[in-house]
Amino acid sequence: MQSKITSTQAGPCLCFGSFFLVHFLCGLLLGLAAGSRATSGTQPHSIKIEGDITLGGLFPVHSRGPAGVPCGDIKKEKGIHRMEAMLYALDQINSDPDLLPNITLGARILDTCSRDTYALEQSLTFVQALIQKDNSDVRCSNGEPPIIPKPERVIGVIGASASSVSIMVANVLRLFAIPQISYASTAPELSDNNRYDFFSRVVPPDSFQAQAMVDIVKAMGWNYVSTLASEGNYGESGVDAFLQISREAGGLCIAQSIKIPREPRPGEFDKIIKRLMETSNARGVIIFANEDDIKRVLEAAKRANLTGHFLFVGSDSWGAKIAPILNQEDVAEGAVTILPKRASIEGFDQYFTSRSLENNRRNIWFAEFWEDDFKCKLTRPGIKLDSGQRKCTGEERIGRDSPYEQEGKVQFVIDAVYAMAHALHSMHIDLCPGSTSICDRMDPVEGRLLLKYIRAVNFNGSAGTGVMFNEDGDAPGRYDIFQYQLSNTTSPGYKIIGQWTNHLRLSAEDMQWSGGDKQVPDSVCSFPCEPGERKRMVKGVPCCWHCELCDGYQFLLDEFNCDMCPFDMRPTLNRTGCRPTPIIKLEWSSPWAIIPVFLAVLGILATTGVIVTFIRFNDTPIVRASGRELSYVLLTGIFLIYLITFLMIAEPGAVVCAFRRLLLGLGMCISYAAMLTKTNRIYRIFEQGKKSVTPPKFISPTSQLIITFILISVQLLGIFIWFGVVPPHTIIDFEELRPPNPELARGILKCDMSDLSLIGCLSYSMVLMVTCTIYAIKSRGVPETFNEAKPIGFTMYTTCIIWLAFVPIFFGTAQSTEKGNRCCLDKT
């Protein structure tokens, strides 16, 4: 037997190699189909409706059967409802005087049994008219050539439902240039116009759906989710599209991407839940799965006592269906699902609820649907009812005795049929102008030309929304966003919370989660860091990080880095910036100021009392014998030493700092200069007395004052040189009070006198003190009746001991009296 493809249907672009491939493939497939039918012993069931133009239809009237059996139980929503929608659409078109007038659309509708291989076998019915047999050597018994009826020709196919079925069928239909419009297949793979150039669909592809789901996840503030997909084109392609779009969008990480096997083994779903809990922070689960897999995932989550933990975002296979969540409502609470924008078709409701066994004999599966829907049994001759079975009366009514609810994609079935009709209508106007029937140019209908008209249609569909196709045959993305709400609502169920049409519109105030909570639960790898904490990223996972506090005097420069505050500043309490370090000075009210002032006042009063006494008894022998001139100088130095206390406590300024420099060393210099002069005079007098009776020079009061003022002038000269080199000014010292805790940091307002300059200021006085001590030692042998030398010696000894202790302690601890005072100041 030979076969060939008519050139009209093959299309001009098929070369000889393609012709041979089609020839071989069709022969092989037809051989397989013939063998399968011979094995079963029956012809495949199908619905045949006569018409001038025949459309094919593919619907999952039955579910996938168990091993070895192609078909299982009847499917009401996805099967019977959708198939009846096609029949309804054909009735509407054939009765429409404006759409394809005087042209009747017929149909050949097949059952795919939800199995891609079985659907491929059934769809060979659509292409058999394109394969002509050579019957030239066949003769009837009377020698006449046989009369062979012309095979039915299908010019376009409506379907299929599942993406895997559409892919399998599309690979065959494209070889014969038969356009195909699907009402439910959403796999992104079908958008490949090079591989599936004759495929179109009135539902948006999952790439749009995946984009909408990414937008939903980001709108809820999630950045760490897992994905769950049923093995097959729909689930895997949907997750792949979600992963690709999330990578391009950024800011979203995938904790795990798990695939559900086609034939899951016992305990498989419990293992899936266990795997999802390995990344328990990823509470959001993006699920592209069929109804059965969704249901079993929810059951496994309930068995694991994880009700309310997972936050599901379901694709359109979940949509707003009750079947996947039946008896698992508490686990599904809060699930956000997506569904192509749809509407209930009132005309179809009236049509379908009026169907009965008497008026719907064209649907060969309707009796089986009737039995399943009403749980009764149709009696036939020779068939007895089993115990417990109810006999169907035929008086049952859909919608009254049956819980009928229009399935969402009914709208898209009707739109797919109308898209084919509008394309044929436009084609007829162009090719058959003025004709009221099919002209020769449309007999047969050329598939590649019909495809162009299909891609060009633009009309309002059954739900009032526009029906059109892009260059890849895809419909625009229009989705409704649902959430399954259970708590705090009078009517639990799916509630519309938003829409997606190229961008997301989500009503956050309408969302509700487990227990009626309005706050969106978290699904993040790491929670935001507290103020003042930087992110330490986890390698390879951009959404995961550890939070580290900026310590010491650091502040948060950006979310990943800390930086040091300027030296005169300290971090704010939340370490998000820097603030000026408080400036302090010694206050008069401080205990560290009150005690020195009290002692200084006592010293000044005592010194003043002595001076007044000396002045009052200035001419008495005892005053004159003590060397009243040098005594006045000595008392002046002592007075200045007490007076410097007030300058050290006063608020630093240029004038105060100048007087500090002047008086700090001057008081001691005057005191030690006077004592040195007096000690030297005693020493010279007694040393000269040992040699002769002639008194030494420069022992008169005037000479003593001159010597004393000469010694003092050296100190004054050094101070004035210091004034010229470094003018007196104030500084703020931030180093002295900079403890590890920045809250205790203070800047000290002080005069610009370093520790070294302070010792330098006193060094001349130290030289005078040491020299005076030397003379005091030398004068220790003076007569006891001269009792002034011994107190001077004792004073100088103790002074030397104090200074010898003070200098190493001062430099060794790097602390001055002022530093010690400042440490205990009020911290405010």
Side-chain angles (χ1 to χ4, degrees), residues 141-193:
S141 58
N142 59 2
E144 296 294 327
I147 299 175
I148 301 175
K150 186 178 180 180
E152 175 186 53
R153 184 183 184 87
V154 172
I155 58 94
V157 175
I158 305 299
S161 177
S163 295
S164 57
V165 175
S166 288
I167 288 172
M168 187 73 80
V169 173
N171 283 315
V172 173
L173 295 182
R174 71 182 295 269
L175 297 176
F176 297 92
I178 299 178
Q180 176 185 0
I181 302 178
S182 174
Y183 49 81
S185 298
T186 56
E189 182 181 350
L190 288 164
S191 296
D192 187 346
N193 204 34

Side-chain angles (χ1 to χ4, degrees), residues 13-33:
C13 69
L14 285 175
C15 63
F16 178 77
S18 298
F19 175 85
F20 177 77
L21 176 61
V22 172
H23 177 93
F24 174 77
L25 178 62
C26 291
L28 178 62
L29 292 176
L30 286 173
L32 291 173

Side-chain angles (χ1 to χ4, degrees), residues 59 77-79 81-83 85-86 158 160-163 182-186 202-204 206 209 234 291 315-321 338-345 348 405-416 462 479:
F59 296 91
E77 290 84 4
K78 286 190 174 182
H81 289 179
R82 292 180 181 178
M83 190 198 65
M86 181 174 179
I158 305 299
S161 177
S163 295
S182 174
Y183 49 81
S185 298
T186 56
V202 291
V203 289
D206 286 338
Q209 182 176 194
Y234 174 77
E291 294 180 33
S315 62
D316 62 346
S317 61
W318 184 334
K321 298 173 186 172
I338 188 170
L339 198 61
K341 198 169 186 62
R342 62 181 187 171
S344 179
I345 310 303
F348 177 76
E405 181 179 356
Q406 186 180 135
E407 195 269 335
K409 288 194 170 72
V410 161
Q411 163 197 340
F412 299 114
V413 176
I414 297 173
D415 288 345
S462 55
Y479 296 96

Side-chain angles (χ1 to χ4, degrees), residues 596-618:
V597 167
F598 176 73
L599 296 176
V601 169
L602 291 180
I604 290 173
L605 291 176
T607 304
T608 304
V610 173
I611 293 173
V612 170
T613 302
F614 265 56
I615 293 173
R616 180 178 180 184
F617 301 99
N618 186 56

Side-chain angles (χ1 to χ4, degrees), residues 321-341:
K321 298 173 186 172
I322 298 299
I325 64 171
L326 191 62
N327 301 323
Q328 311 298 329
E329 291 84 355
D330 52 345
V331 186
E333 184 177 10
V336 177
T337 60
I338 188 170
L339 198 61
K341 198 169 186 62

Side-chain angles (χ1 to χ4, degrees), residues 1 39 72 104 125 192 214 229 255 263 305 444 468 543 572 583 659 670-671 673 711 746:
M1 179 184 69
T39 302
T104 303
T125 304
D192 187 346
V214 169
E263 303 293 339
N305 198 27
M468 63 192 75
C543 298
T572 57
I583 308 301
F659 277 101
I670 292 173
S671 300
L711 293 175
R746 297 292 184 271

Side-chain angles (χ1 to χ4, degrees), residues 565-570 579-583 732 734 738 747:
C565 284
F567 199 71
D568 60 343
M569 304 185 79
R570 59 178 179 167
R579 53 181 170 160
T581 300
I583 308 301
I732 300 174
F734 294 98
R738 194 175 174 85

